[in-house]
């Protein structure tokens, strides 16, 4: 049995602590290092706004970012919802295609938390993924009903963070 035939599990990285995207991108680097094909769909993150977007593309991953160049606070705009729906449509295509060894849906849980997507659609995406495709969902606010479809569920718990002392996000560390 080849190593690719052993793939196909579902990971969720959620919680209020730092490190969800970082963990997913670490897995992407590991997969790329073994010759695997990696696709990353980013919900709610603008293109070319984060350091990891540049480097992971240079390493050979497909990365598509569907966020607008601003944060969503409160009720998302129609444009935010439309961007999330476009990201989900592409994600469905990639996850079910069988072409990818690893697909990461970065911040999809945040889009669910802001009611930009329907949890039933994400459940359907998970249920229809190609058998050997390893799938990662990241972001705060992951609905617990997705936990039953996952093989790994990791909750990042915030214990202490510099923003509690007024230190804002820093280039190269938080973005």
């Amino acid at each position: 049995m080849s190593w690719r035939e052993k793939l196909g599990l579902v990971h969720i990285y959620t919680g209020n602590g730092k490190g969800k995207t970082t963990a997913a991108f670490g897995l992407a680097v590991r997969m790329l290092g073994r010759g695997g094909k990696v696709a990353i769909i980013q919900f709610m993150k603008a293109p070319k706004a984060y350091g990891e977007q540049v480097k992971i593309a240079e390493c050979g991953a497909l990365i598509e970012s569907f966020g607008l160049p601003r944060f969503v606070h409160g009720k998302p705009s129609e444009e935010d919802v439309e961007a999330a729906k476009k990201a989900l449509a592409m994600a469905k295509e990639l996850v079910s295609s069988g072409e990818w060894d690893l697909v990461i849906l970065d911040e999809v849980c945040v889009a669910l938390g802001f009611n930009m997507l329907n949890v039933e659609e994400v459940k359907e995406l998970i249920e229809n993924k190609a058998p050997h495709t390893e799938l990662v969902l990241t972001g705060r606010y992951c609905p617990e009903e997705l936990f039953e479809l996952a093989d790994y569920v990791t909750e990042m718990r915030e214990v202490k963070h510099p923003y509690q002392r007024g230190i804002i996000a820093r280039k190269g560390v938080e973005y």
Side-chain angles (χ1 to χ4, degrees), residues 84-157:
K85 289 185 182 301
K86 284 181 184 174
L88 185 64
M90 183 176 199
K92 285 179 179 179
E93 193 176 303
L94 295 178
V95 167
S96 65
S97 73
E99 181 181 344
W100 303 95
D101 298 308
L102 173 64
V103 177
I104 297 169
L105 306 183
D106 189 33
E107 306 296 2
V108 68
C109 299
V110 177
L112 286 166
F114 278 97
N115 296 312
M116 297 164 71
L117 300 173
N118 180 311
V119 72
E120 294 304 318
E121 288 182 296
V122 176
K123 286 170 89 171
E124 180 182 308
L125 175 147
I126 295 168
E127 291 164 351
N128 292 321
K129 76 172 192 58
H132 89 279
T133 299
E134 201 85 2
L135 177 63
V136 178
L137 289 71
T138 76
R140 300 166 193 253
Y141 320 124
C142 186
E144 287 193 23
E145 61 196 281
L146 293 182
F147 293 0
E148 65 193 48
L149 299 175
D151 300 287
Y152 298 86
V153 176
T154 301
E155 183 174 3
M156 310 301 197
R157 184 173 66 90

Side-chain angles (χ1 to χ4, degrees), residues 24-79:
F25 276 66
L27 185 59
V29 169
R30 182 174 285 161
M31 183 65 74
L32 289 166
R34 293 297 185 183
K37 289 188 69 178
V38 175
I40 302 165
I41 304 297
Q42 291 190 305
F43 294 75
M44 304 180 70
K45 286 186 176 174
K48 299 179 183 169
Y50 299 86
E52 67 267 19
Q53 294 167 322
V54 175
K55 276 297 170 195
I56 204 75
E58 288 177 9
C59 291
L62 169 71
I63 182 164
E64 296 289 339
S65 304
F66 287 86
L68 304 177
R70 57 181 165 67
F71 290 108
V72 175
H73 295 288
K75 186 174 175 14
S77 70
E78 281 185 38
E79 293 85 12

Side-chain angles (χ1 to χ4, degrees), residues 161-170 173-174:
H161 196 289
Y163 72 69
Q164 296 163 338
R165 296 188 330 242
I167 298 172
I168 59 171
R170 297 163 298 139
V173 178
E174 279 84 25

